[in-house]
Amino acid sequence: MRRLGRIVTCFSLLCASCVPSLTQKPAREANRTTPKNFEGSQDTSNSAQAKWREFFNDPNLNALITSALQNNQELNIQLQETFMANNEVLANRGSYMPRVDFRAGGGLEKVSRYTSKGAADELTGVPEPLQDYMFGFFASWEVDVWKKMRNATKAATFRYLATLEGRNFIITRLVAEIANSYYELMALDNQLEVLDSNIAIQQSALEVVKLQKEAARVTELAVQRFEAEVFKNKSRRYDILQRIVETENKLNFLAGRFPQTLARSSKSFNDLLPKAIAAGLPSQLLQNRPDVTRAELELAAAKLDVQVAKAYFYPSFGMRAGVGYQAFRIKRLINTPESLLYNVSADLMAPLINRNEIKAVYFSANSKQLQAVYEYEKTILNAYTEVANQLSMIDNLNKSFALQTQQVQKLTSSIDISTSLFTSARADYMEVLLTRRDALESQMELIETKKRQLAAVVNLYQALGGGWRR
């Protein structure tokens, strides 16, 4: 027995020494370092920790998000991926446990008399035809000496956890997309209101110009230009209405339902202030962002895949055993010990020649591990860049909004001035027309900037890893 153990040990060492060296770049540890802060900020508080119900305080928006988290098809598809990954874990877990089967059967055999077996059966009185009945329990077990199957199970577990993080990442994107579309819908409602108000004012101005023409103070050209401006804005109105329909339908689609009118708080849009948001430290992205956590879990699984692939170069140890009864007559089937059967065996097997397939799997596993390293580092870099971009955008949009507000105020007041000057024949009708046009455009742009401000805050919340906590 001791000699057998030595033989097995030497055989294992021989196989281990035959593991090929990697011809391509070997895998390395991932670089997890991040900058110390964002733009010099040392604040450790992080808005990503806030649940989306706390971050958004609009009940209509929260109702849309709630519906989407229950009915969104993409999210439910990802949920099935999670279930399948969990089933793979269960399948791998069963691979390194002993397998026990129950087997029962019966048969009938007639052999030729003019064969050695037939002649022997005739001499010994074996009944003809020969019946055969059997039942028993049979077990097989591959001893997981090199942790091949256990590492495969751990890798499957990491991938299962990665699918959970993948679902969380979809949730963050879904929450942000719904919030941005909701604010876009509110902005479109306000732009439509501004446009309708300006159409009414321009319609009134057109009537004044017509009276001025009758008094021979302006020409038909002025009337035509004012009418053209009214028609242009009426046409523009239908463009906004179409965008409202498409945005509503998009929100309904994300919520997993057919098109319908959505409740929203558009009247309060102008009073909305961009929410103050704390970016925290870049290192917190590693814990808060689901895509970073998912990439880290995929990397851990890829490392284990290399160990699994390497274990195939080593010998495998198997054991088999069985116990049961077998007889050629049913009434003698359970006679003990005459009809009792049992067997026990063990085997050792290792690849020695033509191992190209195993080598290919091993090399590919190493390449995939290195690929996972790069993917993890890319995800961290992308996360930091997204946060930095949104922080900069929020700052620049705040400054732009303040200036645009002043622009709107000046242009709005200039409407009355230009109208008064035109009435007293001290200004040309084109000055009135261009002043009203510029005022309308500035109001529309101010609403657009407000929408972009709100979107930047939502996108920063998503970039920090917020939105998946409930």
Side-chain angles (χ1 to χ4, degrees):
M1 190 70 182
R2 185 177 299 175
R3 182 178 298 175
L4 178 61
R6 290 175 181 173
I7 294 174
V8 171
T9 303
C10 293
F11 189 54
S12 301
L13 291 174
L14 175 63
C15 293
S17 65
C18 293
V19 177
S21 58
L22 294 169
T23 55
Q24 70 272 45
K25 187 176 181 180
R28 58 174 177 82
E29 290 297 321
N31 182 9
R32 292 176 167 82
T33 58
T34 58
K36 293 183 179 179
N37 51 59
F38 294 109
E39 298 182 349
S41 173
Q42 298 293 336
D43 188 10
T44 58
S45 58
N46 196 308
S47 296
Q49 300 292 332
K51 299 177 181 179
W52 62 265
R53 293 183 185 275
E54 302 167 355
F55 190 81
F56 302 108
N57 51 17
D58 189 320
N60 294 320
L61 173 57
N62 288 350
L64 276 171
I65 295 174
T66 301
S67 176
L69 295 181
Q70 294 174 351
N71 304 317
N72 182 264
Q73 283 80 7
E74 183 182 2
L75 197 57
N76 288 327
I77 289 171
Q78 180 62 32
L79 181 60
Q80 300 309 311
E81 292 286 342
T82 301
F83 291 153
M84 288 187 286
N86 185 46
N87 292 333
E88 187 176 347
V89 174
L90 297 175
N92 279 277
R93 188 173 296 166
S95 65
Y96 61 83
M97 301 297 291
R99 179 188 179 102
V100 180
D101 299 316
F102 172 77
R103 192 185 310 163
L108 189 67
E109 181 184 22
K110 164 68 171 69
V111 297
S112 172
R113 179 179 178 184
Y114 300 110
T115 61
S116 59
K117 187 175 186 304
D121 289 349
E122 184 180 11
L123 291 174
T124 55
V126 173
E128 187 180 85
L130 179 64
Q131 303 177 45
D132 185 25
Y133 302 99
M134 181 274 294
F135 74 90
F137 295 91
F138 300 89
S140 61
W141 181 35
E142 181 179 346
V143 185
D144 194 19
V145 178
W146 316 112
K147 297 184 179 180
K148 176 175 61 179
M149 289 172 281
R150 278 174 287 183
N151 284 336
T153 302
K154 288 181 182 178
T157 303
F158 283 133
R159 290 195 170 89
Y160 162 69
L161 296 175
T163 61
L164 294 178
E165 295 300 332
R167 185 170 187 269
N168 290 337
F169 184 60
I170 291 177
I171 290 175
T172 63
R173 287 195 295 115
L174 182 61
V175 169
E177 190 172 3
I178 289 176
N180 284 333
S181 297
Y182 180 78
Y183 291 138
E184 181 181 0
L185 185 60
M186 293 175 68
L188 289 170
D189 287 341
N190 279 265
Q191 286 181 337
L192 183 64
E193 183 179 353
V194 168
L195 189 60
D196 285 341
S197 176
N198 274 269
I199 289 174
I201 294 173
Q202 289 170 351
Q203 194 76 48
S204 176
L206 176 61
E207 297 302 323
V208 173
V209 172
K210 287 181 178 179
L211 292 174
Q212 294 275 24
K213 182 203 169 188
E214 292 176 3
R217 296 183 59 182
V218 297
T219 65
E220 178 66 18
L221 179 61
V223 176
Q224 296 285 346
R225 292 300 298 267
F226 269 84
E227 283 183 333
E229 192 70 15
V230 171
F231 289 142
K232 184 187 80 172
N233 288 325
K234 284 184 176 180
S235 174
R236 187 177 180 182
R237 185 176 185 274
Y238 290 106
D239 178 61
I240 294 178
L241 286 172
Q242 178 60 28
R243 290 172 61 191
I244 288 174
V245 171
E246 291 178 357
T247 306
E248 273 190 322
N249 290 344
K250 178 182 178 181
L251 282 166
N252 283 311
F253 174 78
L254 293 174
R257 60 196 188 192
F258 288 101
Q260 56 187 272
T261 303
L262 296 178
R264 62 258 199 186
S265 310
S266 298
K267 295 293 183 183
S268 62
F269 181 77
N270 290 325
D271 299 325
L272 289 176
L273 295 175
K275 193 179 185 72
I277 187 166
L281 300 177
S283 58
Q284 294 172 331
L285 294 174
L286 306 184
Q287 290 79 40
N288 291 332
R289 286 204 33 149
D291 58 333
V292 175
T293 307
R294 178 181 62 183
E296 186 175 14
L297 291 168
E298 292 285 359
L299 175 57
K303 287 182 178 179
L304 289 171
D305 287 341
V306 175
Q307 298 302 317
V308 172
K310 191 175 183 179
Y312 278 98
F313 290 102
Y314 304 144
S316 60
F317 302 92
M319 299 181 63
R320 292 175 179 79
V323 61
Y325 287 90
Q326 186 173 17
F328 56 79
R329 285 196 176 92
I330 291 182
K331 65 180 182 180
R332 300 186 181 276
L333 184 58
I334 57 174
N335 285 6
T336 307
E338 290 84 356
S339 298
L340 180 66
L341 66 86
Y342 59 86
N343 63 76
V344 177
S345 64
D347 57 52
L348 180 149
M349 184 175 64
L352 291 178
I353 302 174
N354 194 12
R355 302 187 304 167
N356 289 336
E357 181 180 357
I358 304 175
K359 288 180 182 179
V361 172
Y362 177 52
F363 292 153
S364 294
N366 181 76
S367 295
K368 288 179 181 178
Q369 181 188 351
L370 190 57
Q371 190 179 53
V373 169
Y374 292 135
E375 185 67 30
Y376 179 60
E377 293 175 347
K378 185 189 79 171
T379 306
I380 294 176
L381 179 61
N382 179 65
Y384 181 87
T385 303
E386 285 182 357
V387 174
N389 287 343
Q390 295 304 322
L391 286 172
S392 176
M393 182 172 289
I394 288 174
D395 182 56
N396 288 324
L397 284 174
N398 288 342
K399 296 174 182 177
S400 176
F401 184 80
L403 294 173
Q404 285 184 1
T405 301
Q406 297 180 39
Q407 179 191 19
V408 169
Q409 292 172 352
K410 297 296 182 183
L411 288 172
T412 302
S413 62
S414 68
I415 292 176
D416 296 332
I417 296 173
S418 65
T419 302
S420 299
L421 291 174
F422 175 69
T423 305
S424 60
R426 296 171 60 191
D428 184 73
Y429 73 90
M430 284 300 297
E431 294 179 274
V432 179
L433 194 62
L434 293 175
T435 300
R436 292 182 183 277
R437 183 183 297 173
D438 291 343
L440 173 61
E441 292 303 324
S442 66
Q443 289 175 313
M444 301 290 271
E445 289 175 2
L446 185 65
I447 294 172
E448 186 69 21
T449 302
K450 169 64 74 67
K451 183 197 77 173
R452 292 178 63 196
Q453 276 185 304
L454 297 171
V457 171
V458 172
N459 292 337
L460 178 57
Y461 178 59
Q462 178 195 359
L464 292 171
W468 58 271
R469 294 179 176 88
R470 303 190 186 185

